[in-house]
Amino acid sequence: MGKKAGSPRKHHLIEYANGPSLEEINGTVEVPKGKGFMKTLFMYSGPGALVAVGYMDPGNWSTSITGGQNFQYMLISVILMSSLIAMLLQYMAAKLGIVSQMDLAQATRARTGKALGIILWILTELAIMATDIAEVIGAAIALYLLFHIPLVIAVFLTVFDVLLLLLLTKIGFRKIEAIVVCLILVILVVFLYQVALSSPDWGGVLKGFIPTGETFASSPSVGGMTPISGALGIIGATVMPHNLYLHSAVSQTRKIDHDDEEDVARTVRFSTWDSNIQLSIAFVVNSLLLIMGVAVFKSGAVKDPSFFGLFQALSDSSALSNGVLIAVAKSGILSILFAVALLASGQNSTITGTLTGQVIMEGFVHMKMPLWARRLVTRLISVIPVLICVSMTSNESPIKQHEAINTLMNNSQVFLAFALPFSMLPLLMLTNSDVEMHGRFKNALWVKVLGWISVIALTYLNMKGLPGSIEAFFGDNATKAQLALADNIAYVLIVCIIALLVWTMVDLYRGDKRLKELHNARAND
């Protein structure tokens, strides 16, 4: 479907935008033709890494490690299932961008009314800010642990990563991809090293990959976590809505001939390879995090599941599981490497979160602002709840402060559960569309079936976990009245989500039908 190019107004902070997705980098990366598989794959590699970052950000860490501490290897099957679903969704997102030359936000907005477009934009912005809170917390704690910078100052320092982003925008998109890949490798090597030292029970790990009825059971409760709540935490932290918007945009950075169907098909194929390889690395990282919870620490040894507690436990010989780990931990290297990986994770997410914010702002409401300005605004907003949390607990014991910050990070995932269906559902409907997919690139039957199962299952599980997420806002000692209020709020939200989903489905269906009729009319002229 064609789009009229907008005429941006110069010298304004906010400008009108209705052109190609991420116009400055769209179609800027040359790819070879007639080369071998590996060389071609190398040139297409990069967008998958930007997407994979969201699957291993600070929000994933505590859920995976605590899940391992509480239930051994049982929840590793949830990581596997989440990763496979992620591969399916990201494949569809990349295909949408490559074939239609529109990102998910643009394609959705082309079929929906202005009011729904604004609502979907706000929902996705909230999801990005919720993710940003986890990044602020992760980066600030890493700065505190590595350089002993007071936490409040460290939180403010995270705002200045906008300068890093400003620098990166000047060096070219291919170099940004390379930096992201290097940071991912840092994270991967750190956890491979720590798990290798721990000599885990690999038989138990393999057994854990097979889901059972106990995986999603509501009992037993260990440390306030049940298997179902642990599984929902992993799912909520793994499959994030903004990644679908991001992938549909950055998959368009490669220069291809859209009049050549074979060139389009090749780009879809190699982009899928890139995405699946990078998401496999994310799967390994998340699995290593859970294995750390089981094999690196003694069972039940981590009383403080926050990043502070994990850092401390990695240098505490009484918390570690074997002699080799204890010997290495005495040098302080285990805890330092953990903090370095945490900082790398936060910086990676900074890059991708900002790009996604620009994608949805341009796509849903046709507004554009410089990346540095956008980053500054969203980061300052995200910093506010963290500063409030730190100041309110300043007179409490360190453990209470850590618990409050960890709770804030976990509670921020509520918006992710709320926003997820509104990116998955349009993605599935759009990649089933004749208008956008031109017949050949429509989803195969098995993709449609697995796609609908994934959308329905993830939406159901997120809605099922919503009451518990709302209850968590009232703390561990909530009264019956507070729990009842939390449940009522959750049920109202669930009704609103279902109503908004129905509205979205109807609008998308009508919009697609209208565009199909217009397309057929033009073809007959």
Side-chain angles (χ1 to χ4, degrees), residues 291-308:
I291 293 168
M292 270 186 68
V294 182
V296 172
F297 307 110
K298 292 178 181 176
S299 181
V302 182
K303 303 300 182 186
D304 179 1
S306 70
F307 295 137
F308 298 98

Side-chain angles (χ1 to χ4, degrees), residues 144-278:
Y144 169 81
L145 296 174
L146 287 170
F147 307 110
H148 308 292
I149 299 172
L151 203 55
V152 172
I153 296 175
V155 169
F156 275 113
L157 285 177
T158 65
V159 174
F160 292 99
D161 67 13
V162 68
L163 299 176
L164 171 66
L165 188 70
L166 192 59
L167 173 65
L168 290 176
T169 57
K170 303 296 183 185
I171 67 174
F173 190 70
R174 190 70 176 149
K175 293 185 178 69
I176 293 177
E177 292 174 343
I179 290 169
V180 168
V181 169
C182 289
L183 291 173
I184 288 174
L185 291 176
V186 168
I187 299 167
L188 176 64
V189 169
V190 166
F191 293 129
L192 274 174
Y193 173 69
Q194 296 192 348
V195 168
L197 291 178
S198 68
S199 300
D201 174 14
W202 292 112
V205 172
L206 292 174
K207 186 179 178 182
F209 282 123
I210 303 172
T212 65
E214 297 175 350
T215 307
F216 295 99
S218 55
S219 63
S221 177
V222 181
M225 176 188 283
T226 61
I228 180 64
S229 66
L232 288 171
I234 290 171
I235 291 169
T238 301
V239 185
M240 295 189 176
H242 64 274
N243 270 328
L244 304 178
Y245 293 98
L246 177 65
H247 206 178
S248 63
V250 296
S251 64
Q252 299 179 54
T253 54
R254 271 49 186 174
K255 190 174 182 179
I256 61 174
D257 180 5
H258 285 278
D259 293 325
D260 182 353
E261 195 173 90
E262 290 306 317
D263 199 21
V264 175
R266 183 181 67 147
T267 303
V268 171
R269 184 169 70 255
F270 279 100
S271 295
T272 304
W273 271 101
D274 169 45
S275 175
N276 288 346
I277 289 170
Q278 302 292 350

Side-chain angles (χ1 to χ4, degrees), residues 55 59-60 62-68 74-80 82 225 227-239 286 290:
Y55 291 89
N60 292 76
S62 63
T63 53
S64 294
I65 293 176
T66 308
M74 184 170 68
L75 295 183
I76 204 167
S77 61
V78 179
I79 296 176
L80 175 60
S82 298
M225 176 188 283
I228 180 64
S229 66
L232 288 171
I234 290 171
I235 291 169
T238 301
V239 185
N286 286 324
L290 188 139

Side-chain angles (χ1 to χ4, degrees), residues 265-475:
R266 183 181 67 147
T267 303
V268 171
R269 184 169 70 255
F270 279 100
S271 295
T272 304
W273 271 101
D274 169 45
S275 175
N276 288 346
I277 289 170
Q278 302 292 350
L279 288 173
S280 295
I281 294 174
F283 160 70
V284 171
V285 169
N286 286 324
S287 297
L288 290 172
L289 285 165
L290 188 139
I291 293 168
M292 270 186 68
V294 182
V296 172
F297 307 110
K298 292 178 181 176
S299 181
V302 182
K303 303 300 182 186
D304 179 1
S306 70
F307 295 137
F308 298 98
L310 294 170
F311 179 87
Q312 186 63 38
L314 284 168
S315 56
D316 181 3
S317 59
S318 66
L320 299 176
S321 62
N322 65 41
V324 176
L325 282 170
I326 290 169
V328 176
K330 287 179 180 177
S331 68
I333 192 169
L334 289 183
S335 53
I336 293 297
L337 286 175
F338 177 83
V340 168
L342 182 58
L343 188 60
S345 176
Q347 293 314 302
N348 255 347
S349 300
T350 287
I351 299 167
T352 57
T354 307
L355 289 173
T356 309
Q358 193 66 55
V359 168
I360 64 166
M361 179 182 280
E362 290 182 24
F364 281 128
V365 292
H366 303 316
M367 291 195 306
K368 180 180 181 178
M369 60 195 301
L371 288 178
W372 66 266
R374 172 169 178 100
R375 186 61 187 170
L376 201 58
V377 171
T378 54
R379 179 48 63 96
L380 285 171
I381 293 173
S382 301
V383 156
I384 292 171
V386 183
L387 287 174
I388 291 172
C389 182
V390 171
S391 61
M392 286 180 64
T393 58
S394 58
N395 296 324
E396 302 281 350
S397 64
I399 189 75
K400 290 290 185 183
Q401 293 178 33
H402 301 169
E403 286 176 355
I405 293 172
N406 206 50
T407 299
L408 171 64
M409 184 173 67
N410 292 336
N411 287 344
S412 70
Q413 306 304 301
V414 172
F415 286 115
L416 299 181
F418 192 88
L420 187 59
F422 298 98
S423 56
M424 291 193 300
L425 183 65
L427 176 64
L428 188 57
M429 292 182 68
L430 289 166
T431 49
N432 286 334
S433 167
D434 285 314
V435 178
E436 301 301 349
M437 295 294 104
H438 313 312
R440 172 175 177 176
F441 298 102
K442 279 180 65 176
N443 291 331
L445 179 60
W446 69 270
V447 175
K448 288 181 184 178
V449 172
L450 291 178
W452 278 111
I453 290 173
S454 300
V455 168
I456 293 168
L458 284 177
T459 302
Y460 169 74
L461 287 172
N462 276 287
M463 295 307 97
K464 184 177 180 180
L466 197 55
S469 299
I470 303 295
E471 288 173 6
F473 279 98
F474 292 98

Side-chain angles (χ1 to χ4, degrees), residues 9-45:
R9 294 171 294 179
K10 303 295 184 182
H11 311 301
H12 286 77
L13 187 63
I14 297 178
E15 300 174 343
Y16 176 78
N18 194 22
S21 183
L22 295 176
E23 191 165 7
E24 297 84 354
I25 58 176
N26 193 292
T28 58
V29 180
E30 296 277 356
V31 288
K33 293 185 179 180
K35 302 295 182 181
F37 177 84
M38 292 307 297
K39 186 169 184 178
T40 306
L41 177 60
F42 175 76
M43 291 307 298
Y44 277 103
S45 296

